[in-house]
């Protein structure tokens, strides 16, 4: 069972709607259960795989978890790829929108939503309320353009790309993140542009006479894009003004979070055979790349890894956000511990070396207070198994348990889904049944997604928060929530981007372990920099807190 508690408005408690959910099925002894079939999710991704082996065919699609209809339940949006010149579908490929019915069931409501088809090859998705009307909108990336869809609040979306001016025309957009980089209370938009590309003039490679995907270095990297929100439904291209136009490289993943602790949102960008970026906000509309100073741009040998996914969270309880960047096989997925100064401390996860990592997310799966790690993997080339016995095309996901000090080991009894191989790509995390623990969904190349229900987190004590900005952006992206319990001080950030091509549930959950306090006090640093303290909060429920004006 799960519930929403009272709404806190500027420190005043008011009544709230309580959302109670019953379990869809008996809980398993495993941490996660694959409930895709019983949830009613049947949609499949389509990549347009063809003899040409264009690289977009292998990159996959993203997934977003967000409450699109305002009923208190996290819905699902999935991005398909599309057709290529010689990769045609029996029926036109479509995206999918699934409404959460509660009880672990979802209904396909794509028809009539306005989201089914876009006029380009789809890649990623970023959900965010760009106009502060209380409804999450959708930005869908792809090639050779991208699109912004406004949520009308009635189950339909309107394509407002032309008016907004965020088409990203002629470019291959991958992950995107909403970020209020100038703290004016409106969400701006950052787009990872991967590479210069054309279906007409793409490179072609073979292995033993068979077509295969070319190495990423065959594609020239592109610069990211930054669009400033003007507050009237339009955006201005601020890439040049922000100092980003010269940062060409093959960007794939991004997370917006305050890395430096100064109250201003920064950006961490995972790039593929290009140096990663750590874009520190200079507070004047510009950014400085400090990745070399932090020693996250290259590996220890001075080479750029093949970075795909990225996430940030405080792993060791010191109050600073640490990083994970997923990489190609033999490189290892890289963990970076941030102690508040440069350089960061790298801890490459040795057990990940056989894998090609994509989506990654920190989550406290057992609600013991320590942020654990979920990574989904899958190789790029089918021919890999002809040359390697230790690397496979289909690879298992990884659930890694944190000891509370930033050291990880494989979690016990993760579930049957973690013993199977997939060609996984995007990953989103959120509480689909409002029971206070992190569930997950990941996409697969040319296949259905996998929806994982958490069976164990609700057995521990927890407290959740849903923030609503008033002076700050409505989604409160950039906020930091801090809770003290049993001598521990725990911080969570409301981020955007994160993982790979995907968008998470923006509520935050604190696992309090087995000790149940009578009440909890939370300190909130809102995106505009102001701090609010709220006391007397009951555990075992979500608290919606509205920023005081």
């Amino acid at each position: 069972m799960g519930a929403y508690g009272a709404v806190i408005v500027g420190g005043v408690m008011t009544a709230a709607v309580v959302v109670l959910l019953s379990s869809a099925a008996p809980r398993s002894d495993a941490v996660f259960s694959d409930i895709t079939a019983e949830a009613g999710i049947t949609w499949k991704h389509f990549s347009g795989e063809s003899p040409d082996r264009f690289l977009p065919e292998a990159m996959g699609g993203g997934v977003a978890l967000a409450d699109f209809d305002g009923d208190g339940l996290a819905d699902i949006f999935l991005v398909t790829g599309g057709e290529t010149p010689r990769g045609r579908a029996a029926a036109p490929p479509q995206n999918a929108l699934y409404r959460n019915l509660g009880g672990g069931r979802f209904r396909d409501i794509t028809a009539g939503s306005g989201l089914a088809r876009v006029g380009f090859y789809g890649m990623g998705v970023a959900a965010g309320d760009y106009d502060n009307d209380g409804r999450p909108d959708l930005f869908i990336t792809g090639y050779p353009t991208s699109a912004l869809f406004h949520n009308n609040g009635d189950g339909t979306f309107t394509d407002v790309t032309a008016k907004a001016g965020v088409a990203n025309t002629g470019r291959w957009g991958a992950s995107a993140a909403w970020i209020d980089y100038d703290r004016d209370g409106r969400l701006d938009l950052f787009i990872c542009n991967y590479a210069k590309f054309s279906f007409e003039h793409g490179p072609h490679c073979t292995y033993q006479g068979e077509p295969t995907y070319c190495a990423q270095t065959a594609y020239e990297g592109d610069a990211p894009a930054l669009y400033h929100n003007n507050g009237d439904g339009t955006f201005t291209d601020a890439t040049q003004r922000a100092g980003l136009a010269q940062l060409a490289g093959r960007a794939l993943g991004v997370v917006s979070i305050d890395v430096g602790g100064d109250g201003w949102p920064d950006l961490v960008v995972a790039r593929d055979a290009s140096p990663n970026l750590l874009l520190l906000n200079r507070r004047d509309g510009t950014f400085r790349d400090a990745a070399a100073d932090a020693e996250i741009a290259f590996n220890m040998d001075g080479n750029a890894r093949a970075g795909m996914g990225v996430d940030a969270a405080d792993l060791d309880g010191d109050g600073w956000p640490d990083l994970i960047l997923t990489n190609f096989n033999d490189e290892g997925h890289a963990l970076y511990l941030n102690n508040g100064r440069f350089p960061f401390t790298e801890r490459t996860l040795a057990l990940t070396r056989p894998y090609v990592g994509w989506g990654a997310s920190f989550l406290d799966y057992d609600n013991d207070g320590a942020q654990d790690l979920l990574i989904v993997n899958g190789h790029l080339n089918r021919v890999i198994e002809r040359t390697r016995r230790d690397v496979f095309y289909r690879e298992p996901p990884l659930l890694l348990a944190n000891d509370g000090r930033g050291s990880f080991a494989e979690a016990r009894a993760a579930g049957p889904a973690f013993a199977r191989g997939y060609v996984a790509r995007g990953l989103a995390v959120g509480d689909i049944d409002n029971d206070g623990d992190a569930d997950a969904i990941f996409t697969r190349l040319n296949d259905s997604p996998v929806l994982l229900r958490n069976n164990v987190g609700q057995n521990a004590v927890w407290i959740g928060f849903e923030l609503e900005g008033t002076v700050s952006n409505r989604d409160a992206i950039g906020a930091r929530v801090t809770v003290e319990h049993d001598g521990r001080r725990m911080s969570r950030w409301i981020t955007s981007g994160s993982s790979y091509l995907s968008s998470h549930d923006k509520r935050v959950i604190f696992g309090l372990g087995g000790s149940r306090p009578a009440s909890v006090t939370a300190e909130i640093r809102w995106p505009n920099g102001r701090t609010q303290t709220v006391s007397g909060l009951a555990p075992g429920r979500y608290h919606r807190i509205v920023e005081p004006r």
Side-chain angles (χ1 to χ4, degrees), residues 158-184:
T158 299
D159 186 341
V160 295
T161 313
K163 176 188 175 183
V166 292
N168 203 36
T169 303
R171 310 179 81 178
W172 176 358
S175 297
W178 294 103
I179 172 176
D180 183 6
Y181 72 91
D182 55 357
R183 301 204 323 187
D184 64 356

Side-chain angles (χ1 to χ4, degrees), residues 94-322:
Q94 293 192 354
N95 304 314
L97 179 64
Y98 281 91
R99 183 178 182 228
N100 190 337
L101 305 177
R105 295 286 300 173
F106 290 79
R107 184 174 73 234
D108 189 337
I109 60 168
T110 313
S113 69
L115 295 172
R117 300 192 66 192
V118 294
F120 54 88
Y121 190 98
M123 289 281 291
V125 57
D129 184 5
Y130 77 90
D131 57 356
N132 290 332
D133 66 355
R135 299 187 293 264
D137 309 298
L138 287 172
F139 184 74
I140 303 173
T141 65
Y143 171 80
T145 185
S146 298
L148 177 62
F149 287 87
H150 179 262
N151 186 342
N152 301 319
D154 59 0
T156 68
F157 292 75
T158 299
D159 186 341
V160 295
T161 313
K163 176 188 175 183
V166 292
N168 203 36
T169 303
R171 310 179 81 178
W172 176 358
S175 297
W178 294 103
I179 172 176
D180 183 6
Y181 72 91
D182 55 357
R183 301 204 323 187
D184 64 356
R186 300 187 293 264
L187 289 177
D188 310 301
L189 181 62
F190 179 90
I191 306 171
C192 291
N193 288 313
Y194 183 67
K196 306 291 180 64
F197 175 75
S198 166
F199 283 125
E200 290 74 29
H201 306 290
H204 298 278
C205 299
T206 60
Y207 176 78
Q208 294 181 348
E210 180 179 333
T212 189
Y213 296 108
C214 297
Q216 70 278 75
T217 50
Y219 297 82
E220 179 187 353
D222 202 355
L226 180 67
Y227 290 94
H228 178 262
N229 188 337
N230 300 321
D232 59 359
T234 69
F235 291 74
T236 298
D237 189 339
T239 311
Q240 186 75 40
R241 163 78 177 85
L244 305 178
Q246 72 275 20
L247 298 177
R250 290 169 288 270
L252 284 176
V254 59
V255 61
S256 66
I257 192 169
D258 179 12
V259 174
D262 62 358
W264 290 74
D266 309 304
L267 292 158
V268 184
V269 182
R271 302 207 296 182
D272 188 9
S274 303
N276 300 317
L277 302 176
L278 173 54
L279 301 176
L280 296 183
N281 193 329
R282 284 175 161 155
R283 311 184 217 177
D284 60 358
T286 68
F287 291 84
R288 175 178 74 89
D289 180 22
D293 297 334
E295 295 186 1
I296 71 167
F298 305 97
N299 66 10
M300 294 180 182
D301 296 323
N303 300 315
R305 292 182 172 106
M308 272 80 83
V310 59
D311 198 13
D314 180 10
L315 305 180
D316 50 9
D318 65 357
W320 296 97
D322 309 299

Side-chain angles (χ1 to χ4, degrees), residues 365-366 371-373 399-404 407-412:
Y365 73 84
D366 54 359
Q371 292 281 63
D372 309 301
L373 179 57
L399 182 63
L400 306 179
N402 182 359
D403 67 357
S407 293
F408 290 83
E410 285 195 76
R412 297 179 180 178

Side-chain angles (χ1 to χ4, degrees), residues 375-392:
I375 303 173
V376 296
N377 307 291
H379 212 277
L380 201 74
N381 276 312
R382 296 178 186 273
V383 298
I384 188 63
E385 294 177 19
R386 298 186 190 177
T387 61
R388 297 283 294 268
R389 293 188 176 183
D390 58 334
V391 179
F392 300 92

